[in-house]
């Protein structure tokens, strides 16, 4: 298969904001990583229909190649076609799993830049989200078709609608049990990040994450505390926290040590980041979550305010509203 973009090539220029997603629009669903559950996809599509969207997927989404959702060529072609088609207004990933790294050398970033639209996912899809953001494209860390949309309470609709409609978005938690402040402070920067395992896996590759000047969101699932420690230390010693303005951790679902009750992951986090001199918060439910997956716009300007009792994340608009006269470049 011909490589569309040489590994390591980064396209320069202004960041592109995609057009907003509106009720009635068609959402293209792809499986860029692991193979999917057909029944879960059916439930996810039914939920999207009740929300007023028109889900669309190609028959190839049901393909399998070992543990992948089809060959690399097929997965790349499906992604490209969803961006190429003007009737598709957003591209939603069906699930993560493993396999997005295989797509990176073959992505046609010029094609994607010339057909901007919201691209949404998490977990293994972090590999694509960060690469898109590093190349001036829009990306959204949020719910997926066979995971969150397949459950009645899987999606936080307030953030989904705000972030994708061209509005600014603010997540504010005052005395919230789940979202808690760790290090008070104020910060402004570009919102960035995703699944910790994927962020760490990028190191030493042509697709290494670029974190300077960002507010980094970090989450994962089923990683034991010492594994979280090891990955965070790898990022730290690799210099990936240098120049970072603030850090927000996710729910860190199932990241406990069986039988250990004298510490939790937030304590592990504090051992590593408390000396950075930046605000840190913990527990924002985006990505791998118990319920109500929040959609976060990556690549946009954001502010983080952490006090002793509250956490506030405010994000600039990530899409161009239908009635806006501003340029798609920002």
């Amino acid at each position: 298969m011909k490589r569309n973009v040489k590994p390591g090539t980064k396209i320069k220029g202004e960041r592109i904001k995609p057009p907003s997603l509106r009720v009635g629009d068609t959402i293209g669903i792809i499986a860029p990583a692991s193979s999917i559950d057909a029944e879960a996809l059916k439930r996810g599509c039914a939920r999207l229909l009740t929300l007023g969207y028109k889900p669309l997927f190609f028959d190839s989404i049901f393909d399998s190649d070992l543990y992948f959702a089809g060959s690399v060529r097929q997965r790349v072609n499906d992604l490209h076609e969803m961006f190429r088609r003007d009737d598709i207004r957003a591209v939603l990933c069906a699930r993560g799993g493993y396999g997005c790294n295989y797509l990176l050398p073959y992505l046609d970033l010029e094609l994607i830049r010339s057909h901007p639209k919201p691209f949404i996912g998490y977990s293994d899809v972090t590999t694509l989200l960060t690469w898109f953001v590093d190349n001036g494209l829009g990306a959204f860390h949020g719910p997926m078709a066979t995971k969150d949309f397949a459950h009645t309470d899987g999606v936080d609709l307030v953030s989904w609608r705000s972030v994708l409609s061209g509005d600014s978005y603010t997540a504010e938690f005052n005395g919230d049990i789940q979202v808690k402040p760790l290090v008070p402070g104020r910060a402004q920067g570009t919102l960035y990040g995703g699944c910790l395992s994927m962020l760490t896996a990028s190191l030493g590759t042509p697709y290494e994450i670029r974190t300077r000047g960002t507010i980094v969101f970090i989450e994962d699932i089923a990683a034991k505390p010492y594994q979280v420690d090891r990955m965070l230390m790898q990022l730290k010693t690799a210099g990936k926290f240098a120049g970072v303005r603030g850090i927000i951790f996710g729910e860190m679902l199932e990241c406990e040590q069986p039988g250990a009750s004298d510490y939790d992951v937030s304590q592990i986090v504090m051992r590593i980041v408390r000396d950075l001199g930046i605000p840190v918060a913990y527990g924002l439910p985006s990505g791998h979550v118990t319920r109500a997956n929040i959609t976060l716009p990556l690549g946009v300007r954001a502010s983080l305010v952490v006090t002793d009792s509250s956490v506030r994340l405010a994000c600039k608009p990530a899409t161009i509203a239908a009635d806006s006269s501003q340029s798609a470049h920002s």
Side-chain angles (χ1 to χ4, degrees):
M1 179 166 54
K2 181 180 178 181
R3 294 175 185 266
N4 290 298
V5 177
K6 185 178 179 180
T9 299
K10 290 182 170 61
I11 296 176
K12 306 294 184 180
E14 297 179 318
R15 184 170 307 284
I16 296 176
K17 287 183 179 179
S20 62
L21 180 68
R22 296 171 292 177
V23 172
D25 283 345
T26 299
I27 297 178
I29 302 173
I30 63 170
S34 289
S35 53
I36 69 164
D37 182 310
E39 284 302 313
L41 179 62
K42 182 179 178 180
R43 293 194 303 272
C45 288
R47 177 63 169 154
L48 287 166
L49 283 168
T50 64
L51 294 173
Y53 304 108
K54 302 171 185 174
L56 181 147
F57 54 83
F58 305 133
D59 290 343
S60 54
I61 199 171
F62 299 113
D63 288 356
S64 63
D65 178 7
L66 296 177
Y67 30 76
F68 304 116
S71 67
V72 174
R73 179 190 295 274
Q74 172 250 301
R75 287 180 282 143
V76 169
N77 288 346
D78 284 358
L79 185 151
H80 284 164
E81 186 61 19
M82 287 298 188
F83 273 95
R84 185 181 291 113
R85 287 179 51 160
D86 291 336
D87 59 320
I88 305 297
R89 306 299 295 178
V91 182
L92 176 66
C93 293
R95 64 162 299 186
Y98 171 65
C100 289
N101 54 346
Y102 280 79
L103 278 56
L104 290 172
Y106 306 104
L107 292 179
D108 188 339
L109 294 176
E110 289 287 9
L111 182 154
I112 296 168
R113 284 175 65 92
S114 64
H115 298 83
K117 56 193 66 175
F119 180 79
I120 310 141
Y122 65 94
S123 193
D124 190 71
V125 180
T126 294
T127 299
L128 302 179
L129 300 178
T130 53
W131 186 237
F132 280 11
V133 172
D134 288 344
N135 284 279
L137 296 162
F140 299 82
H141 189 273
M144 296 191 289
T146 71
K147 295 297 180 179
D148 313 278
F149 281 103
H151 303 283
T152 55
D153 63 347
V155 179
D156 177 78
L157 292 176
V158 172
S159 61
W160 169 268
R161 288 169 175 150
S162 295
V163 166
L164 294 172
S165 67
D167 293 334
S168 58
Y169 172 67
T170 299
E172 193 159 6
F173 307 92
N174 295 296
D176 190 281
I177 296 175
Q178 182 178 8
V179 183
K180 57 186 178 181
L182 294 185
V183 181
R186 295 173 176 267
Q188 292 188 344
T190 302
L191 192 58
Y192 190 82
C195 183
L196 176 58
S197 300
M198 299 302 105
L199 299 176
T200 307
S202 76
L203 301 183
T205 74
Y207 314 99
E208 186 168 313
I209 55 172
R210 303 167 70 185
T211 55
R212 186 170 294 274
T214 66
I215 294 173
V216 181
F217 175 72
I218 297 173
E219 66 93 34
D220 214 322
I221 184 172
K224 293 175 181 171
Y226 78 87
Q227 294 171 323
V228 173
D229 187 321
R230 182 175 60 204
M231 289 186 283
L232 288 176
M233 280 300 295
Q234 186 173 357
L235 290 178
K236 188 175 186 178
T237 56
K240 291 304 172 181
F241 291 145
V244 166
R245 309 282 177 78
I247 304 175
I248 315 168
F249 285 86
E251 188 174 330
M252 305 302 285
L253 189 65
E254 300 173 13
C255 292
E256 301 93 12
Q257 180 69 43
S261 59
D262 58 340
Y263 63 86
D264 60 27
V265 178
S266 67
Q267 292 171 280
I268 303 299
V269 164
M270 281 293 284
R271 288 169 60 91
I272 298 165
V273 304
R274 66 163 27 119
D275 65 344
L276 297 177
I278 58 176
V280 182
Y282 184 93
L284 181 70
S286 180
H288 299 100
V289 298
T290 306
R291 57 175 297 278
N293 199 337
I294 287 178
T295 305
L296 294 176
L298 303 183
V300 304
R301 295 294 295 174
S303 65
L304 174 65
V305 179
V306 181
T307 72
D308 290 332
S309 59
S310 67
V311 176
R312 183 178 187 271
L313 175 69
C315 305
K316 298 274 189 177
T319 61
I320 302 298
D323 57 355
S324 175
S325 60
Q326 62 180 312
S327 166
H329 297 271
S330 168

